[in-house]
Amino acid sequence: MTIESVEPIAESMPRAAGAMPGPIHMEAARAAPATLKAGVLVVGAFSDGKLPSSSAAVDSASKGRLSALIKRGDLDEKAGSTLLLYDVPGTAAQRVLVVSLGPSGEFGDKAFRDAVSGAAKALGAGKAGNAAVTLAAIDVPGRSEAWRMQEASRLLADGLYRFAAPKTNGRKKPEQGARDIALIGSENGSEEIDAAVRRGAAIAEGMALAKDLGNLPANVCNPEYFAETARRLGKELPIEVEVLEREDMAKLGMHAALSVGRASDNPCKLVVMRYRGGGDGAKPIVLVGKGVTFDTGGISLKPGEDLDMMKYDMCGAAAVYGAIEAAAHLELPIDVVVLVNAVENMPGGNASRPGDVVTSMSGQTIEILNTDAEGRLGLCDVLTYAERFEPECVVDVATLTGACVIALGSVASGLYANDDALADELLACGAETGDRAWRMPLWDEYQEQLKSNFADMSNLGGRPAGSVTAACFLARFTKKYRWAHLDIAGTNAVAGDAKGATGRPVPMLAQFLLQRSARAAELRVAH
Ligand code: BES
Ligand code: MN
Ligand code: ZN
């Protein structure tokens, strides 16, 4: 990736395609752990000394090396902490990575995920190019082997993600860290287990796309870059791509959306992608993503502190790109439409002003009381546009409000829905993948806060319940279909030393598409 000192124009766009340093190869395997000739063999151990059977085999082959070091107290109690052992007798691997599973009495989803993520971290920093991982062979209460394999596959591949930052010095060699992973399951493996590993890897790839788009600077990842990335996906996968320009949006009457990008030299776009896996007459699941490639706040300019984080204001769009990529990759038997209004929110002589009134595509008028509440202005017109697809349901994903960060922090995304079954389904997909959401209310009482003297509504609900009133604004445009909204302002990225995109909520969305696919396949068999 070359970054130009001037704003890139479409023709000289620096390409960062494949920002990942080479793909990760993930495969299910069945073998006795001690006989595996890997660069590193990964085994789990409970901090109280209990060993799962896959690790007990390594322990006895090595004449008690594992149990000895646990007895000595070398293994931390925290699930995911690791110890690297060299030249372990009785094993064919060059190294053995021992991963703490925490106390045996507390083992569950969280400790399992922490253990796998801890292993991924060590594997990413280590010297071994290939690894044999036995963690998914360990029983997790209430979970199937397929669940363990899918989760382990995703968490390992995602944990090995690295953004190829354009640094002249200190850039990690692409070949560093494990790129080739064998996931050891129980001996009686099956096609179903292989498929679970492929699902996990495909979700991680979708997350990697979302992370790359998020981590790229806004002078590279601008609206045109979103259009280009869609066109690239369209070449690599069976995805139809259409890009609507400003003039097309004006013809559609999308004046709320158009008001956001007015002052930017990078014209906004509406990207439409469609994956057709559902066959004739399939109604699509429509995924809408907020794609503000940089949010200055516009004339209602944001304060300067941490303003660079506003390059992540397109992470909703990035997540729906990742989700459709995973769906197409896995050839799911459903239709998926992705809609993204890619736009930059800038101040300028042509910017919209607080107090401006615009007419949305739905015909409803909006008084723009704050140009920093731009996400809902873009989304409302895209949500109206979604009607023409006669959707099965619509899910929008947006870094919509700072208030959601105050309410839920970085643990859960805020979930809103006008349909209880859809909400429950998404919550369950969050629990299944550890990419959790928490349901918030859309009650009519909150609509009061959007009253305007000069238009049908204002785009500003005031400080109380800011995430709720933003969702209530969107609800005025989604009455014609089943709809859910995910406010990911707290979950999409982390600041500080580990600054970066998280790839959330790709796991939840991909799981949702997988479950809808399973349902579609069942219906097809029944007919
Ligand atoms: N992109 C921001 C929301 C945001 C804030 C995302 C912090 C991630 C971290 C959004 O466009 C915004 O500015 N929202 C305003 C809305 C307000 C003006 C009603 C906010 O949250 O302050
Ligand atoms: Mn804003
Ligand atoms: Zn924003």
Side-chain angles (χ1 to χ4, degrees), residues 290 292 295-297 300 302 309-310 312-314 345 369-376 398-405 459-463 466-467 469-470 487-492:
K290 170 174 171 180
V292 175
D295 182 12
T296 66
S300 313
K302 283 182 182 293
M309 290 300 285
M310 281 302 123
Y312 290 111
D313 212 18
M314 33 50 68
N345 187 20
L369 280 182
N370 190 318
T371 64
D372 196 14
E374 84 296 342
R376 63 196 79 179
T399 48
L400 203 60
T401 65
C404 191
V405 190
N459 76 332
L460 190 64
R463 276 171 66 83
S467 175
T469 53
D487 193 332
I488 60 163
T491 52
N492 69 304

Side-chain angles (χ1 to χ4, degrees), residues 15 43 69 95 117 129 152 167 182 188 258 289 305 374 413 427:
R15 289 302 303 264
V43 298
L69 70 92
R95 309 163 187 83
S117 298
K167 296 186 183 184
N188 46 350
L258 285 166
E305 199 191 339
E374 84 296 342
S413 303
L427 290 173

